[in-house]
Amino acid sequence: MTEDAQKHTESPKEVEVVHMEDDTEKSETFQIKGEDLLAKVKQLIKEGNVRRIILSHDGKKLLEIPVTAGAVGVTVAAVISPVLVAVGAIAAVVAQVEVTVVRD
């Protein structure tokens, strides 16, 4: 696996982005404030090319969200709503969260 480490700030709320690629999947990891977590997760889900979102804090995985690209409409809302409630609960408790996004 090759690892390209790029550090840059996409907005004042996101601290670091690290891009990693191997033959089958691409991922990026960044830090985000808990208060901005829910909006960022919603944005990532809407992008459509995301396979998984992993939320971690202090090196411990808090939540792994599988994102199904083929799901549409009401199905997405029914499946994602409980996940967003869990993300909101994490955001309320944790000040800083590490988000890893695995893309197609």
Side-chain angles (χ1 to χ4, degrees):
M1 176 166 75
T2 62
E3 180 174 328
D4 297 324
Q6 296 178 335
K7 294 182 180 181
H8 66 279
T9 303
E10 292 193 9
S11 75
K13 298 170 186 164
E14 296 176 7
V15 179
E16 177 180 348
V17 176
V18 178
H19 295 280
M20 296 171 31
E21 285 187 45
D22 66 12
D23 295 339
T24 58
E25 64 182 31
K26 300 173 188 172
S27 67
E28 61 182 274
T29 300
F30 55 89
Q31 299 285 327
I32 191 165
K33 290 183 179 180
E35 62 195 42
D36 303 316
L37 179 62
L38 188 58
K40 185 65 175 179
V41 169
K42 285 181 181 179
Q43 174 194 347
L44 290 168
I45 291 170
K46 287 180 183 177
E47 286 180 13
N49 64 342
V50 175
R51 285 195 337 198
R52 274 183 300 155
I53 301 169
I54 303 166
L55 307 180
S56 304
H57 178 68
D58 290 337
K60 296 179 183 175
K61 188 186 300 184
L62 301 174
L63 182 65
E64 184 169 344
I65 307 165
V67 181
T68 306
V72 291
V74 177
T75 306
V76 171
V79 172
I80 296 299
S81 292
V83 171
L84 293 178
V85 170
V87 170
I90 290 170
V93 175
V94 180
Q96 192 81 7
V97 180
E98 181 178 280
V99 179
T100 301
V101 180
V102 179
R103 300 181 184 274
D104 289 332

